[in-house]
């Protein structure tokens, strides 16, 4: 594995899960692999879980870790050729990125969808510039359209808790007051579609995701039908993808909040969410505090997914 | 020791001081204890001494250290159940804190009194949430009502410089233009009351501290009487504790500035202050630059107190 | 070497270059030298290259590294004695600096010219306070009048690429929309004057540098003459040094932009710049993307210069 930006990078999922299990059981066993290797984590957007879990994963592997917070908007990079740079952009991406690459061995990048240009967002312009110009392996720490470290942790968690070989996993949209990217939802779809689970997506009309990510999943607009016999309910808000509403909140329908009434339709399903979660918008207190809630072990697995990915990249590139 | 939030956590003071002496003389002797252990330092308030000294203490013990700056107010956690989180609070404390706990082994928290609710401040609401929900040992890096790493460093310093077994130690209020928490003063009282020193508190009327912290100390409103024959003058400003003035500056009387005239009343006392100090408000240039000033070695002992505490917690919990 | 603030600190240049070559070829060979030593990097100004390269250099030597960002203006230190500190300055330099020194082994300081007082800038008031009061070796990570880690990296780069023992090196001013310090230019002059290269400075009238730094260099106002037969073109903007224009942009003459037409006058010269660089102000896309552009290897050598300096300071002081 050279870069880690989507499910396809991790290769065979069964093998990846076995590697994750090993890492989880032996967190400090591979410190020679990361010795004298430096992980540079670049945050264009703020972070709690990704920042802490990835930094700890690097430490566990014996790496040095440098964290670089780039205040969104404060560090403006020019990307075009031919521009006379007499404005607020102080550096061109063709210089900035190779220089950062020269001071580290692996680069992690967090750069959310900006909702200014759907095309730029869905072409992953910033992430791809790092891949193209840094000269080093690049890890997505949540990009514009995917959050693969989260999805890998989600998969690990489902594997740990599933009671049947092919569980029914339901991704449900849930209301939120602010426009959020589709990255977590897209990415979860991509990873679920790579398994043999029964995978269902449910959301109000108008919140259809990019078909590239929906893939073979069943889209069920009737949420009660979707919840029926589910083994895992994975909740997430996202803003509209389809034009002309890209990046907009088109409704905040509270009937989509995950609650005990709908959970009662399931096969005693586990509840999952990537966090941070707004209680009583996305999910009721009752459900998130129930024994079926996996949000804390799911977050803890972020360290496992990050460490597994870093380890494989270290093994394959150095 | 599980958590370190007050003098009672450190156990027997004589034994604690012996441990501190060992740490000071052998700073790098215990790196196996901290190997593969991660200290997460969370700052809700800015910090210079605590940040640097605690980070260095962690390094000395072979720990990995992660620093997380949380801009005061920027990260608003919901604490109530049942609230529909559709406002500016993006995460509930019941999720945020266990997640942080899952990525580290020891958590340090700095969270000052906010002067919005005396009850919340004196109940140490934030610090106690970390203790209750993180699942990990918690160290106060200055909380609303106490600053125990400072007080322990103060005690170490007094023990190093005292010329008599039971020195007379005087805590004197001194003027300051802004309303400061009572934490350093409270905490110093608590630690001095745990010794067999002669301990006197002096301040203007209206600046009485919480009786829980004053304890058996003698309160002397006549500052000249207080200074008389003192071996250590420990200066600190604090805002009013008593209602209706909680958190307010009720005077800035410069006659309380520590100066050579009052120091002449003492038994050639040492001068102490936790820093940062405003010169010619808290203390004159003359006194703080005199050979009797201990402010620099006192600050240097912050590393010793932090390392001793971290070491004991590592020994007792892992 | 105790401190590293200018070319004179590094001693014999030939020997320094040999040490740099060793470090570049054996980056991890000296980790015992830095074991249990802590580098404190203090940034009064923002930084990308210096921050990352110096941190990595410390890691390579086995050091612990603490980064302290001091928001410019947010941390105001009093420097005068006798002042009643009842305003916005919360700490005196006589306390703050020794305290920071007590928590580390080497201090790196970045503090740019402030253009408020030419005398203060050119007396390096802040850097010298750290040298005077910290009690620890101090490294300039760009001060008011010099940027010696950059200049050392520049020298290493020239030595790596030169095709003749005594290349012709030309420092050319180039336009920029904002007033920049003279530090990089001054420092480059100082280091070039310490070699036996042919060294020429070219700039528009009014941009004369301090004669102390110009030294024996030839100043050529006719840029075409300066470029003639050059082996290295080193571009940099600086604001005016001479009164009454100190710190001002007195013109932005685009005829000084480094372009292919002027580069054609040279001996197929290499192009150098310390970065960040504004394209089509300082240099055209064509020149900076040409095979003769050394900006990326030059930046990569920042790690080498920093590691060489840290290693020598560690060897000489501990």
């Amino acid at each position: 594995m050279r870069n880690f930006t989507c499910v396809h990078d991790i290769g065979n999922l069964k093998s990846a899960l076995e590697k994750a299990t090993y890492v989880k059981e032996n967190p400090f066993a591979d410190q020679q692999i990361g010795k004298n290797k430096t992980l540079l984590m670049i945050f264009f957007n703020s972070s709690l879980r990704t920042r802490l879990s990835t930094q700890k994963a690097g430490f566990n592997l014996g790496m040095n870790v440098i964290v670089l917070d780039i205040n969104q908007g404060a560090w403006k990079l020019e990307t075009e050729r031919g521009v006379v740079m007499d404005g607020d952009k102080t550096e061109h991406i063709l210089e900035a990125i190779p220089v950062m690459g020269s001071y580290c061995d692996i680069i992690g990048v967090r750069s959310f969808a900006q909702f200014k240009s759907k095309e730029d967002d869905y072409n992953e312009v910033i992430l791809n510039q790092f891949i193209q110009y840094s000269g080093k392996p690049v890890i997505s720490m949540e990009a514009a359209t995917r959050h693969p470290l989260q999805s890998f942790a989600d998969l690990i968690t489902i594997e740990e808790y599933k009671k049947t070989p092919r569980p029914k996993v339901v991704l449900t949209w849930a209301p939120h007051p602010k426009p959020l990217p589709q990255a977590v939802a897209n990415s979860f779809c991509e990873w679920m579609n790579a398994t043999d689970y029964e995978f269902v997506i449910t959301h109000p009309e108008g919140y259809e995701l990019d078909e590239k990510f929906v893939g073979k999943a069943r889209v069920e607009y009737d949420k009660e039908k979707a919840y029926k016999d589910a083994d895992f309910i994975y909740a997430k808000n996202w803003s509209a993808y389809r034009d002309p509403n890209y990046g907009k909140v088109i409704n905040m329908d509270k009937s989509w909040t995950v609650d005990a009434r709908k959970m009662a339709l399931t096969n005693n399903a586990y509840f999952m969410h990537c966090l941070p979660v707004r209680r009583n918008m996305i999910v009721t207190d009752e459900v998130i505090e129930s024994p079926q809630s996996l949000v804390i072990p799911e977050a803890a697995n972020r360290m496992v997914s990050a460490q597994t990915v870093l380890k494989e990249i270290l093994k394959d590139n150095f």
Side-chain angles (χ1 to χ4, degrees), chain A residues 170-236:
Chain A
V170 177
L171 167 64
T172 177
W173 180 93
H176 190 285
K178 293 188 178 170
L180 299 187
Q182 297 92 32
V184 171
N186 286 342
S187 195
F188 187 71
C189 292
E190 197 174 57
W191 286 68
M192 290 301 103
N193 280 325
T195 69
D196 59 359
Y197 302 162
E198 179 185 352
F199 179 50
V200 177
I201 307 171
T202 184
H203 54 70
E205 303 246 359
Y207 280 109
E208 289 75 15
L209 293 167
D210 184 353
E211 288 181 8
K212 182 175 68 173
F213 294 105
V214 173
K216 66 179 184 184
R218 176 159 67 94
V219 177
E220 173 56 71
Y221 290 93
D222 180 336
K223 54 185 173 297
E224 277 74 17
K225 280 194 192 168
Y227 273 68
K228 183 92 172 54
D229 296 327
D231 297 297
F232 293 88
I233 296 294
Y234 189 99
K236 184 71 186 84

Side-chain angles (χ1 to χ4, degrees), chain A residues 102-216:
Chain A
S102 72
Y103 302 140
C104 66
D105 300 285
I106 299 179
I107 299 183
V109 179
R110 164 164 286 209
S111 174
F112 292 174
Q114 300 188 319
F115 294 148
K116 288 175 192 160
S117 157
K118 184 174 177 175
E119 193 185 342
D120 282 358
D121 289 344
Y122 271 69
N123 284 331
E124 293 286 6
V125 169
I126 293 179
L127 184 68
N128 283 325
Q129 286 171 332
F130 276 89
I131 291 172
Q132 187 171 359
Y133 298 119
S134 72
K136 296 293 161 69
V138 171
I139 292 177
S140 164
M141 301 194 302
E142 187 170 344
T145 65
R146 293 179 182 89
H147 192 357
L149 287 173
Q150 179 64 52
S151 306
F152 188 13
D154 296 335
L155 175 65
I156 294 167
T157 309
I158 292 172
E159 284 292 303
E160 287 176 341
Y161 285 86
K162 73 179 187 183
K163 293 171 182 159
T164 166
R166 292 188 60 243
K168 178 178 177 183
V169 177
V170 177
L171 167 64
T172 177
W173 180 93
H176 190 285
K178 293 188 178 170
L180 299 187
Q182 297 92 32
V184 171
N186 286 342
S187 195
F188 187 71
C189 292
E190 197 174 57
W191 286 68
M192 290 301 103
N193 280 325
T195 69
D196 59 359
Y197 302 162
E198 179 185 352
F199 179 50
V200 177
I201 307 171
T202 184
H203 54 70
E205 303 246 359
Y207 280 109
E208 289 75 15
L209 293 167
D210 184 353
E211 288 181 8
K212 182 175 68 173
F213 294 105
V214 173
K216 66 179 184 184

Side-chain angles (χ1 to χ4, degrees), chain A residues 223-224 227 255 258-266 286-287:
Chain A
K223 54 185 173 297
E224 277 74 17
Y227 273 68
S255 76
V258 180
D259 57 15
R261 190 186 60 76
K262 287 196 290 298
M263 288 299 283
L265 303 172
T266 69
E286 188 181 2
V287 170

Side-chain angles (χ1 to χ4, degrees), chain A residues 11 27 31 84 86 90 137 173 186 199 226 235 271 277 307 312:
Chain A
Q31 302 198 330
V84 176
D86 57 0
T90 60
W173 180 93
N186 286 342
F199 179 50
F271 172 76
V277 69
Q307 188 170 340
E312 293 307 306

Side-chain angles (χ1 to χ4, degrees), chain A residues 51-110:
Chain A
R51 181 190 187 100
L52 299 180
S53 62
T54 311
Q55 195 165 355
K56 182 77 166 72
F59 289 154
N60 287 355
L61 288 164
M63 302 186 80
N64 299 313
V65 182
I66 299 178
V67 177
L68 188 68
D69 285 308
I70 295 176
N71 198 324
Q72 200 172 18
W75 190 49
K76 293 184 177 163
L77 294 177
E78 181 57 61
T79 57
E80 300 298 314
R81 276 193 182 81
V83 173
V84 176
M85 292 173 58
D86 57 0
D88 59 347
K89 294 178 179 171
T90 60
E91 187 152 22
H92 198 285
I93 204 141
L94 287 170
E95 278 76 57
I97 294 180
V99 165
M100 290 190 280
S102 72
Y103 302 140
C104 66
D105 300 285
I106 299 179
I107 299 183
V109 179
R110 164 164 286 209

Side-chain angles (χ1 to χ4, degrees), chain A residues 271-284:
Chain A
F271 172 76
M272 298 179 71
H273 189 276
C274 64
L275 304 181
V277 69
R278 286 171 177 258
R279 287 176 172 224
N280 303 308
M281 290 291 291
I282 300 287
V283 58
T284 63

